[in-house]
Amino acid sequence: MPPPNIILYDVSSATPEAWAPNIWRIRFVLNYKRLPYRTVWVEYHDVERTLRSIGAPPTSAGRDGRPVYALPAILVPQRPSESPIVLSSANVIVEYLESAFPARPVFPEGSRALQVAFVHYLNDVVAKPLLAIMVPLSHIRLPERAQAHFRGSSTAGMPGYLAPGPQREQAWLAVKDKFDFLASLLDKNSGADGDGVVAMGRELSYADFAICSLLVWIERVSPHDGWPRMRQWSGGRWVRLWDRCRDYMDVL
């Protein structure tokens, strides 16, 4: 039986581009595995309502104990007599896709635990300095109604936005420090151990798609500031990784 036409739920943007990094991790895996899918775009204000309507599980709980619903989510149709499979949370989705559709694996044999741990490290350590720069810039990419939510009563633009100047330069230096250290780790996969570009030696894996999802975020949301900087870091290694992942950047 051919694979089902999966639905990937992504956040709407004021411009017709996909940029959210957690959702790109899913899109990369779907494209790499050559699974048929289509994207359903959801406005920020409609995320909880949409995910509740399809039966998606919450991704966390708020301080008040209420469930929190967040993208990404996928819906996988089953036989007409069966309910669809609906999942949320990027790592949960990727692990399901790997188990349900094992062809073209993104977890090379025996690497699943280490890859998931690496992605947690990527999110919790490497990407952490990015948030101060990228989150306000990402909010500016949202449709006006969602931007108004994040602006609140502010009349001075998007709260947290770092204008060009010393503070932004310092923030990018902190980002560079984390990515330089990550590059030093990946460089160990050179020579007999690999091509020096990808995490598992020579073949693309989930770890590479997680890194490249951050690169896509920067390239789409900060194309004239952040991305030109990153292209120069570590002798161009992030551009080389981008080029390795380029074939899996379709937005369907």
Side-chain angles (χ1 to χ4, degrees):
M1 187 172 71
N5 196 354
I6 296 167
I7 299 175
L8 171 65
Y9 293 85
D10 198 348
V11 62
S12 293
S13 177
T15 58
E17 281 189 322
W19 53 265
N22 281 355
I23 302 171
W24 262 105
R25 281 154 56 185
I26 311 305
R27 183 173 282 111
F28 270 124
V29 172
L30 290 168
N31 288 332
Y32 181 75
K33 287 180 170 291
R34 299 171 182 163
L35 296 173
Y37 74 96
R38 64 184 177 92
T39 302
V40 169
W41 303 96
V42 184
E43 287 214 23
Y44 174 79
H45 285 83
D46 296 328
V47 168
E48 179 173 343
R49 179 185 62 80
T50 299
L51 296 189
R52 281 181 178 272
S53 74
I54 63 173
T59 53
S60 61
R63 292 182 179 178
D64 58 1
R66 292 184 63 235
V68 174
Y69 292 83
L71 300 173
I74 63 166
L75 185 149
V76 186
Q78 303 298 298
R79 295 181 178 88
S81 61
E82 299 176 0
S83 299
I85 293 171
V86 184
L87 299 170
S88 56
S89 182
N91 283 341
V92 170
I93 293 171
V94 171
E95 291 198 54
Y96 164 79
L97 293 173
E98 184 76 344
S99 297
F101 310 102
R104 296 178 62 79
V106 295
F107 294 133
E109 184 176 359
S111 73
R112 183 180 300 231
L114 286 175
Q115 295 233 14
V116 172
F118 174 86
V119 172
H120 277 292
Y121 164 77
L122 191 69
N123 284 344
D124 295 347
V125 178
V126 177
K128 190 172 182 179
L130 263 177
L131 302 182
I133 306 167
M134 297 296 296
V135 169
L137 289 176
S138 299
H139 291 165
I140 293 169
R141 308 279 293 191
L142 296 171
E144 178 55 35
R145 187 165 69 119
Q147 287 191 42
H149 168 81
F150 289 106
R151 278 199 304 269
S153 59
S154 173
T155 58
M158 192 62 69
Y161 172 73
L162 292 178
Q167 273 190 299
R168 184 188 283 190
E169 291 301 317
Q170 196 64 35
W172 276 118
L173 285 174
V175 174
K176 182 178 184 298
D177 181 65
K178 297 297 185 185
F179 273 86
D180 283 351
F181 179 71
L182 179 61
S184 73
L185 296 179
L186 296 174
D187 285 345
K188 296 180 185 297
N189 283 343
S190 299
D193 288 326
D195 59 17
V197 176
V198 300
M200 292 298 295
R202 291 184 173 81
E203 299 299 325
L204 287 166
S205 66
Y206 180 43
D208 302 303
F209 293 138
I211 298 170
C212 206
S213 294
L214 294 176
L215 304 185
V216 171
W217 188 27
I218 295 167
E219 190 268 346
R220 300 286 162 85
V221 174
S222 186
H224 305 300
D225 181 23
W227 185 235
R229 296 171 190 264
M230 288 207 73
R231 290 178 62 88
Q232 305 302 317
W233 294 350
S234 302
R237 76 126 41 239
W238 305 119
V239 176
R240 292 192 291 276
L241 179 59
W242 175 284
D243 289 341
R244 285 291 300 273
C245 296
R246 187 189 299 273
D247 288 344
Y248 312 107
M249 291 185 183
D250 292 335
V251 177
L252 303 179

